[in-house]
PDB file of all heavy atoms in Angstrom:
ATOM      1  N   LEU K  23      -1.511  -5.341   1.606  1.00  0.00           N
ATOM      2  CA  LEU K  23      -0.233  -5.562   0.964  1.00  0.00           C
ATOM      3  C   LEU K  23       0.629  -4.321   1.058  1.00  0.00           C
ATOM      4  O   LEU K  23       1.923  -4.502   1.185  1.00  0.00           O
ATOM      5  CB  LEU K  23      -0.429  -5.969  -0.507  1.00  0.00           C
ATOM      6  CG  LEU K  23      -0.806  -7.408  -0.767  1.00  0.00           C
ATOM      7  CD1 LEU K  23      -1.317  -7.617  -2.246  1.00  0.00           C
ATOM      8  CD2 LEU K  23       0.356  -8.323  -0.488  1.00  0.00           C
ATOM      9  N   GLY K  24       0.070  -3.152   0.874  1.00  0.00           N
ATOM     10  CA  GLY K  24       0.831  -1.988   1.073  1.00  0.00           C
ATOM     11  C   GLY K  24       1.551  -1.883   2.413  1.00  0.00           C
ATOM     12  O   GLY K  24       2.689  -1.612   2.586  1.00  0.00           O
ATOM     13  N   ASP K  25       0.712  -2.176   3.489  1.00  0.00           N
ATOM     14  CA  ASP K  25       1.306  -2.185   4.813  1.00  0.00           C
ATOM     15  C   ASP K  25       2.368  -3.246   4.991  1.00  0.00           C
ATOM     16  O   ASP K  25       3.368  -2.985   5.626  1.00  0.00           O
ATOM     17  CB  ASP K  25       0.126  -2.439   5.806  1.00  0.00           C
ATOM     18  CG  ASP K  25      -0.874  -1.273   5.836  1.00  0.00           C
ATOM     19  OD1 ASP K  25      -0.617  -0.247   5.356  1.00  0.00           O
ATOM     20  OD2 ASP K  25      -1.986  -1.592   6.385  1.00  0.00           O
ATOM     21  N   LEU K  26       2.092  -4.406   4.437  1.00  0.00           N
ATOM     22  CA  LEU K  26       3.105  -5.440   4.535  1.00  0.00           C
ATOM     23  C   LEU K  26       4.422  -5.128   3.884  1.00  0.00           C
ATOM     24  O   LEU K  26       5.499  -5.344   4.398  1.00  0.00           O
ATOM     25  CB  LEU K  26       2.549  -6.746   4.002  1.00  0.00           C
ATOM     26  CG  LEU K  26       1.368  -7.397   4.844  1.00  0.00           C
ATOM     27  CD1 LEU K  26       0.768  -8.469   4.032  1.00  0.00           C
ATOM     28  CD2 LEU K  26       1.878  -7.878   6.216  1.00  0.00           C
ATOM     29  N   PHE K  27       4.301  -4.645   2.693  1.00  0.00           N
ATOM     30  CA  PHE K  27       5.557  -4.234   1.844  1.00  0.00           C
ATOM     31  C   PHE K  27       6.217  -3.088   2.584  1.00  0.00           C
ATOM     32  O   PHE K  27       7.469  -3.041   2.612  1.00  0.00           O
ATOM     33  CB  PHE K  27       5.164  -3.814   0.422  1.00  0.00           C
ATOM     34  CG  PHE K  27       4.868  -5.003  -0.426  1.00  0.00           C
ATOM     35  CD1 PHE K  27       3.779  -4.998  -1.328  1.00  0.00           C
ATOM     36  CD2 PHE K  27       5.697  -6.158  -0.375  1.00  0.00           C
ATOM     37  CE1 PHE K  27       3.584  -6.097  -2.142  1.00  0.00           C
ATOM     38  CE2 PHE K  27       5.426  -7.255  -1.194  1.00  0.00           C
ATOM     39  CZ  PHE K  27       4.406  -7.203  -2.053  1.00  0.00           C
ATOM     40  N   TYR K  28       5.477  -2.128   3.185  1.00  0.00           N
ATOM     41  CA  TYR K  28       6.078  -1.020   3.898  1.00  0.00           C
ATOM     42  C   TYR K  28       6.875  -1.660   5.066  1.00  0.00           C
ATOM     43  O   TYR K  28       8.073  -1.165   5.328  1.00  0.00           O
ATOM     44  CB  TYR K  28       5.029  -0.103   4.429  1.00  0.00           C
ATOM     45  CG  TYR K  28       5.598   1.144   5.135  1.00  0.00           C
ATOM     46  CD1 TYR K  28       5.821   2.301   4.411  1.00  0.00           C
ATOM     47  CD2 TYR K  28       5.825   1.100   6.472  1.00  0.00           C
ATOM     48  CE1 TYR K  28       6.365   3.388   5.055  1.00  0.00           C
ATOM     49  CE2 TYR K  28       6.341   2.173   7.167  1.00  0.00           C
ATOM     50  CZ  TYR K  28       6.555   3.315   6.481  1.00  0.00           C
ATOM     51  OH  TYR K  28       7.097   4.417   7.093  1.00  0.00           O
ATOM     52  N   THR K  29       6.266  -2.536   5.804  1.00  0.00           N
ATOM     53  CA  THR K  29       7.027  -3.158   6.944  1.00  0.00           C
ATOM     54  C   THR K  29       8.257  -3.847   6.525  1.00  0.00           C
ATOM     55  O   THR K  29       9.255  -3.873   7.190  1.00  0.00           O
ATOM     56  CB  THR K  29       6.050  -4.140   7.674  1.00  0.00           C
ATOM     57  OG1 THR K  29       4.859  -3.360   8.090  1.00  0.00           O
ATOM     58  CG2 THR K  29       6.663  -4.707   8.850  1.00  0.00           C
ATOM     59  N   LEU K  30       8.164  -4.409   5.388  1.00  0.00           N
ATOM     60  CA  LEU K  30       9.375  -5.235   4.785  1.00  0.00           C
ATOM     61  C   LEU K  30      10.346  -4.260   4.144  1.00  0.00           C
ATOM     62  O   LEU K  30      11.396  -4.764   3.622  1.00  0.00           O
ATOM     63  CB  LEU K  30       8.890  -6.265   3.764  1.00  0.00           C
ATOM     64  CG  LEU K  30       8.107  -7.394   4.317  1.00  0.00           C
ATOM     65  CD1 LEU K  30       7.484  -8.204   3.205  1.00  0.00           C
ATOM     66  CD2 LEU K  30       8.998  -8.297   5.222  1.00  0.00           C
ATOM     67  N   ARG K  31      10.057  -3.016   4.205  1.00  0.00           N
ATOM     68  CA  ARG K  31      10.918  -1.929   3.564  1.00  0.00           C
ATOM     69  C   ARG K  31      11.001  -2.176   2.032  1.00  0.00           C
ATOM     70  O   ARG K  31      11.964  -1.646   1.390  1.00  0.00           O
ATOM     71  CB  ARG K  31      12.310  -1.814   4.224  1.00  0.00           C
ATOM     72  CG  ARG K  31      12.229  -1.669   5.739  1.00  0.00           C
ATOM     73  CD  ARG K  31      13.544  -1.183   6.269  1.00  0.00           C
ATOM     74  NE  ARG K  31      13.829   0.271   5.861  1.00  0.00           N
ATOM     75  CZ  ARG K  31      13.396   1.325   6.459  1.00  0.00           C
ATOM     76  NH1 ARG K  31      12.541   1.214   7.539  1.00  0.00           N
ATOM     77  NH2 ARG K  31      13.630   2.515   6.060  1.00  0.00           N
ATOM     78  N   ARG K  32       9.960  -2.724   1.477  1.00  0.00           N
ATOM     79  CA  ARG K  32       9.898  -2.793  -0.006  1.00  0.00           C
ATOM     80  C   ARG K  32       8.956  -1.701  -0.445  1.00  0.00           C
ATOM     81  O   ARG K  32       7.851  -1.777  -0.858  1.00  0.00           O
ATOM     82  CB  ARG K  32       9.331  -4.148  -0.420  1.00  0.00           C
ATOM     83  CG  ARG K  32      10.367  -5.252  -0.119  1.00  0.00           C
ATOM     84  CD  ARG K  32       9.717  -6.644   0.007  1.00  0.00           C
ATOM     85  NE  ARG K  32       9.092  -7.111  -1.236  1.00  0.00           N
ATOM     86  CZ  ARG K  32       8.547  -8.282  -1.419  1.00  0.00           C
ATOM     87  NH1 ARG K  32       8.580  -9.153  -0.437  1.00  0.00           N
ATOM     88  NH2 ARG K  32       7.962  -8.568  -2.562  1.00  0.00           N
ATOM     89  N   THR K  33       9.432  -0.419  -0.284  1.00  0.00           N
ATOM     90  CA  THR K  33       8.609   0.751  -0.245  1.00  0.00           C
ATOM     91  C   THR K  33       7.982   1.071  -1.679  1.00  0.00           C
ATOM     92  O   THR K  33       6.832   1.413  -1.684  1.00  0.00           O
ATOM     93  CB  THR K  33       9.411   1.954   0.237  1.00  0.00           C
ATOM     94  OG1 THR K  33      10.038   1.605   1.458  1.00  0.00           O
ATOM     95  CG2 THR K  33       8.505   3.138   0.488  1.00  0.00           C
ATOM     96  N   PRO K  34       8.770   0.947  -2.760  1.00  0.00           N
ATOM     97  CA  PRO K  34       8.125   1.183  -4.105  1.00  0.00           C
ATOM     98  C   PRO K  34       6.960   0.171  -4.320  1.00  0.00           C
ATOM     99  O   PRO K  34       5.928   0.603  -4.879  1.00  0.00           O
ATOM    100  CB  PRO K  34       9.236   0.928  -5.072  1.00  0.00           C
ATOM    101  CG  PRO K  34      10.505   1.259  -4.314  1.00  0.00           C
ATOM    102  CD  PRO K  34      10.195   0.771  -2.933  1.00  0.00           C
ATOM    103  N   GLN K  35       7.039  -1.038  -3.911  1.00  0.00           N
ATOM    104  CA  GLN K  35       5.970  -2.006  -3.986  1.00  0.00           C
ATOM    105  C   GLN K  35       4.794  -1.659  -3.157  1.00  0.00           C
ATOM    106  O   GLN K  35       3.614  -1.799  -3.507  1.00  0.00           O
ATOM    107  CB  GLN K  35       6.399  -3.387  -3.746  1.00  0.00           C
ATOM    108  CG  GLN K  35       7.372  -4.042  -4.710  1.00  0.00           C
ATOM    109  CD  GLN K  35       7.943  -5.305  -4.307  1.00  0.00           C
ATOM    110  OE1 GLN K  35       8.828  -5.347  -3.477  1.00  0.00           O
ATOM    111  NE2 GLN K  35       7.340  -6.377  -4.742  1.00  0.00           N
ATOM    112  N   ALA K  36       5.149  -1.098  -1.943  1.00  0.00           N
ATOM    113  CA  ALA K  36       4.078  -0.611  -1.043  1.00  0.00           C
ATOM    114  C   ALA K  36       3.237   0.534  -1.790  1.00  0.00           C
ATOM    115  O   ALA K  36       2.036   0.528  -1.684  1.00  0.00           O
ATOM    116  CB  ALA K  36       4.629  -0.080   0.236  1.00  0.00           C
ATOM    117  N   ILE K  37       3.891   1.411  -2.438  1.00  0.00           N
ATOM    118  CA  ILE K  37       3.178   2.512  -3.063  1.00  0.00           C
ATOM    119  C   ILE K  37       2.317   1.922  -4.185  1.00  0.00           C
ATOM    120  O   ILE K  37       1.135   2.437  -4.362  1.00  0.00           O
ATOM    121  CB  ILE K  37       4.195   3.553  -3.626  1.00  0.00           C
ATOM    122  CG1 ILE K  37       4.810   4.283  -2.407  1.00  0.00           C
ATOM    123  CG2 ILE K  37       3.524   4.540  -4.563  1.00  0.00           C
ATOM    124  CD1 ILE K  37       5.906   5.275  -2.794  1.00  0.00           C
ATOM    125  N   GLU K  38       2.816   0.960  -4.953  1.00  0.00           N
ATOM    126  CA  GLU K  38       2.025   0.292  -5.969  1.00  0.00           C
ATOM    127  C   GLU K  38       0.737  -0.235  -5.361  1.00  0.00           C
ATOM    128  O   GLU K  38      -0.363  -0.099  -5.947  1.00  0.00           O
ATOM    129  CB  GLU K  38       2.801  -0.766  -6.704  1.00  0.00           C
ATOM    130  CG  GLU K  38       3.992  -0.266  -7.578  1.00  0.00           C
ATOM    131  CD  GLU K  38       4.718  -1.351  -8.202  1.00  0.00           C
ATOM    132  OE1 GLU K  38       4.160  -2.541  -8.137  1.00  0.00           O
ATOM    133  OE2 GLU K  38       5.847  -1.171  -8.742  1.00  0.00           O
ATOM    134  N   MET K  39       0.838  -0.902  -4.227  1.00  0.00           N
ATOM    135  CA  MET K  39      -0.369  -1.500  -3.642  1.00  0.00           C
ATOM    136  C   MET K  39      -1.317  -0.402  -3.154  1.00  0.00           C
ATOM    137  O   MET K  39      -2.519  -0.522  -3.260  1.00  0.00           O
ATOM    138  CB  MET K  39       0.062  -2.395  -2.458  1.00  0.00           C
ATOM    139  CG  MET K  39       0.886  -3.625  -2.878  1.00  0.00           C
ATOM    140  SD  MET K  39      -0.017  -4.714  -4.020  1.00  0.00           S
ATOM    141  CE  MET K  39       0.829  -4.313  -5.614  1.00  0.00           C
ATOM    142  N   TYR K  40      -0.729   0.660  -2.515  1.00  0.00           N
ATOM    143  CA  TYR K  40      -1.686   1.745  -2.088  1.00  0.00           C
ATOM    144  C   TYR K  40      -2.317   2.396  -3.261  1.00  0.00           C
ATOM    145  O   TYR K  40      -3.541   2.778  -3.186  1.00  0.00           O
ATOM    146  CB  TYR K  40      -0.848   2.761  -1.254  1.00  0.00           C
ATOM    147  CG  TYR K  40      -0.331   2.276  -0.013  1.00  0.00           C
ATOM    148  CD1 TYR K  40       1.038   2.527   0.428  1.00  0.00           C
ATOM    149  CD2 TYR K  40      -1.180   1.623   0.962  1.00  0.00           C
ATOM    150  CE1 TYR K  40       1.512   2.084   1.677  1.00  0.00           C
ATOM    151  CE2 TYR K  40      -0.660   1.265   2.132  1.00  0.00           C
ATOM    152  CZ  TYR K  40       0.642   1.467   2.514  1.00  0.00           C
ATOM    153  OH  TYR K  40       1.110   1.028   3.705  1.00  0.00           O
ATOM    154  N   ASP K  41      -1.552   2.569  -4.393  1.00  0.00           N
ATOM    155  CA  ASP K  41      -2.209   3.139  -5.594  1.00  0.00           C
ATOM    156  C   ASP K  41      -3.417   2.284  -6.060  1.00  0.00           C
ATOM    157  O   ASP K  41      -4.464   2.804  -6.397  1.00  0.00           O
ATOM    158  CB  ASP K  41      -1.161   3.191  -6.729  1.00  0.00           C
ATOM    159  CG  ASP K  41      -0.134   4.343  -6.493  1.00  0.00           C
ATOM    160  OD1 ASP K  41      -0.285   5.207  -5.700  1.00  0.00           O
ATOM    161  OD2 ASP K  41       0.877   4.249  -7.220  1.00  0.00           O
ATOM    162  N   ALA K  42      -3.217   0.939  -6.045  1.00  0.00           N
ATOM    163  CA  ALA K  42      -4.260   0.120  -6.492  1.00  0.00           C
ATOM    164  C   ALA K  42      -5.428   0.148  -5.542  1.00  0.00           C
ATOM    165  O   ALA K  42      -6.566   0.186  -5.968  1.00  0.00           O
ATOM    166  CB  ALA K  42      -3.744  -1.352  -6.527  1.00  0.00           C
ATOM    167  N   ALA K  43      -5.184   0.221  -4.249  1.00  0.00           N
ATOM    168  CA  ALA K  43      -6.290   0.298  -3.298  1.00  0.00           C
ATOM    169  C   ALA K  43      -7.067   1.643  -3.425  1.00  0.00           C
ATOM    170  O   ALA K  43      -8.241   1.660  -3.405  1.00  0.00           O
ATOM    171  CB  ALA K  43      -5.672   0.291  -1.829  1.00  0.00           C
ATOM    172  N   ALA K  44      -6.327   2.752  -3.740  1.00  0.00           N
ATOM    173  CA  ALA K  44      -6.984   4.006  -3.890  1.00  0.00           C
ATOM    174  C   ALA K  44      -7.821   4.063  -5.098  1.00  0.00           C
ATOM    175  O   ALA K  44      -8.925   4.648  -5.179  1.00  0.00           O
ATOM    176  CB  ALA K  44      -5.952   5.181  -3.909  1.00  0.00           C
ATOM    177  N   ALA K  45      -7.373   3.369  -6.206  1.00  0.00           N
ATOM    178  CA  ALA K  45      -8.158   3.326  -7.459  1.00  0.00           C
ATOM    179  C   ALA K  45      -9.493   2.578  -7.239  1.00  0.00           C
ATOM    180  O   ALA K  45     -10.443   2.786  -7.816  1.00  0.00           O
ATOM    181  CB  ALA K  45      -7.328   2.638  -8.538  1.00  0.00           C
ATOM    182  N   GLU K  46      -9.451   1.522  -6.308  1.00  0.00           N
ATOM    183  CA  GLU K  46     -10.588   0.668  -6.078  1.00  0.00           C
ATOM    184  C   GLU K  46     -11.584   1.260  -5.053  1.00  0.00           C
ATOM    185  O   GLU K  46     -12.746   1.023  -5.169  1.00  0.00           O
ATOM    186  CB  GLU K  46     -10.102  -0.749  -5.690  1.00  0.00           C
ATOM    187  CG  GLU K  46      -9.464  -1.451  -6.790  1.00  0.00           C
ATOM    188  CD  GLU K  46      -8.542  -2.674  -6.344  1.00  0.00           C
ATOM    189  OE1 GLU K  46      -8.114  -2.584  -5.175  1.00  0.00           O
ATOM    190  OE2 GLU K  46      -8.236  -3.527  -7.089  1.00  0.00           O
ATOM    191  N   ASP K  47     -10.984   1.985  -4.018  1.00  0.00           N
ATOM    192  CA  ASP K  47     -11.862   2.445  -2.983  1.00  0.00           C
ATOM    193  C   ASP K  47     -11.238   3.698  -2.394  1.00  0.00           C
ATOM    194  O   ASP K  47     -10.613   3.651  -1.382  1.00  0.00           O
ATOM    195  CB  ASP K  47     -12.080   1.414  -1.864  1.00  0.00           C
ATOM    196  CG  ASP K  47     -13.057   1.880  -0.827  1.00  0.00           C
ATOM    197  OD1 ASP K  47     -13.603   2.988  -0.968  1.00  0.00           O
ATOM    198  OD2 ASP K  47     -13.307   1.174   0.109  1.00  0.00           O
ATOM    199  N   PRO K  48     -11.402   4.920  -2.995  1.00  0.00           N
ATOM    200  CA  PRO K  48     -10.723   6.095  -2.575  1.00  0.00           C
ATOM    201  C   PRO K  48     -11.319   6.708  -1.289  1.00  0.00           C
ATOM    202  O   PRO K  48     -10.982   7.785  -0.846  1.00  0.00           O
ATOM    203  CB  PRO K  48     -10.958   7.033  -3.786  1.00  0.00           C
ATOM    204  CG  PRO K  48     -12.265   6.596  -4.447  1.00  0.00           C
ATOM    205  CD  PRO K  48     -12.157   5.075  -4.323  1.00  0.00           C
ATOM    206  N   SER K  49     -12.286   6.000  -0.619  1.00  0.00           N
ATOM    207  CA  SER K  49     -12.944   6.491   0.585  1.00  0.00           C
ATOM    208  C   SER K  49     -12.208   6.037   1.821  1.00  0.00           C
ATOM    209  O   SER K  49     -12.620   6.468   2.878  1.00  0.00           O
ATOM    210  CB  SER K  49     -14.349   6.025   0.599  1.00  0.00           C
ATOM    211  OG  SER K  49     -14.462   4.648   0.880  1.00  0.00           O
ATOM    212  N   ARG K  50     -11.173   5.246   1.710  1.00  0.00           N
ATOM    213  CA  ARG K  50     -10.480   4.608   2.885  1.00  0.00           C
ATOM    214  C   ARG K  50      -9.316   5.525   3.225  1.00  0.00           C
ATOM    215  O   ARG K  50      -8.277   5.649   2.587  1.00  0.00           O
ATOM    216  CB  ARG K  50     -10.059   3.207   2.624  1.00  0.00           C
ATOM    217  CG  ARG K  50     -11.194   2.246   2.356  1.00  0.00           C
ATOM    218  CD  ARG K  50     -10.682   0.781   2.523  1.00  0.00           C
ATOM    219  NE  ARG K  50     -10.266   0.495   3.812  1.00  0.00           N
ATOM    220  CZ  ARG K  50     -10.397  -0.682   4.360  1.00  0.00           C
ATOM    221  NH1 ARG K  50     -10.899  -1.712   3.724  1.00  0.00           N
ATOM    222  NH2 ARG K  50      -9.953  -0.887   5.575  1.00  0.00           N
ATOM    223  N   VAL K  51      -9.465   6.197   4.367  1.00  0.00           N
ATOM    224  CA  VAL K  51      -8.441   7.156   4.820  1.00  0.00           C
ATOM    225  C   VAL K  51      -7.162   6.433   5.074  1.00  0.00           C
ATOM    226  O   VAL K  51      -6.001   7.047   4.851  1.00  0.00           O
ATOM    227  CB  VAL K  51      -8.879   7.900   6.119  1.00  0.00           C
ATOM    228  CG1 VAL K  51      -9.076   6.910   7.229  1.00  0.00           C
ATOM    229  CG2 VAL K  51      -8.015   8.975   6.406  1.00  0.00           C
ATOM    230  N   GLU K  52      -7.136   5.186   5.537  1.00  0.00           N
ATOM    231  CA  GLU K  52      -5.881   4.439   5.836  1.00  0.00           C
ATOM    232  C   GLU K  52      -4.965   4.321   4.617  1.00  0.00           C
ATOM    233  O   GLU K  52      -3.756   4.239   4.751  1.00  0.00           O
ATOM    234  CB  GLU K  52      -6.179   3.078   6.336  1.00  0.00           C
ATOM    235  CG  GLU K  52      -6.977   3.021   7.616  1.00  0.00           C
ATOM    236  CD  GLU K  52      -8.484   3.013   7.424  1.00  0.00           C
ATOM    237  OE1 GLU K  52      -8.908   3.151   6.253  1.00  0.00           O
ATOM    238  OE2 GLU K  52      -9.227   2.734   8.381  1.00  0.00           O
ATOM    239  N   ILE K  53      -5.567   4.294   3.433  1.00  0.00           N
ATOM    240  CA  ILE K  53      -4.768   4.126   2.199  1.00  0.00           C
ATOM    241  C   ILE K  53      -3.869   5.379   2.099  1.00  0.00           C
ATOM    242  O   ILE K  53      -2.657   5.219   1.787  1.00  0.00           O
ATOM    243  CB  ILE K  53      -5.658   3.993   0.994  1.00  0.00           C
ATOM    244  CG1 ILE K  53      -6.448   2.705   0.995  1.00  0.00           C
ATOM    245  CG2 ILE K  53      -4.867   4.106  -0.356  1.00  0.00           C
ATOM    246  CD1 ILE K  53      -7.605   2.657  -0.041  1.00  0.00           C
TER     247      ILE K  53
END
């Protein structure tokens, strides 16, 4: 979702999704 929102230029929403991903699995470098 972060990648999709970034592509759609909905950047604040992208950051929210990346934040959620990092909270759930901070081992993923792509986040």
Side-chain angles (χ1 to χ4, degrees):
L23 280 166
D25 294 343
L26 292 168
F27 284 137
Y28 183 93
T29 301
L30 292 168
R31 305 198 71 84
R32 293 160 61 177
T33 311
Q35 289 173 282
I37 291 175
E38 290 179 12
M39 295 299 105
Y40 293 131
D41 287 345
E46 291 159 337
D47 185 2
S49 69
R50 297 195 63 149
V51 65
E52 299 92 346
I53 296 169

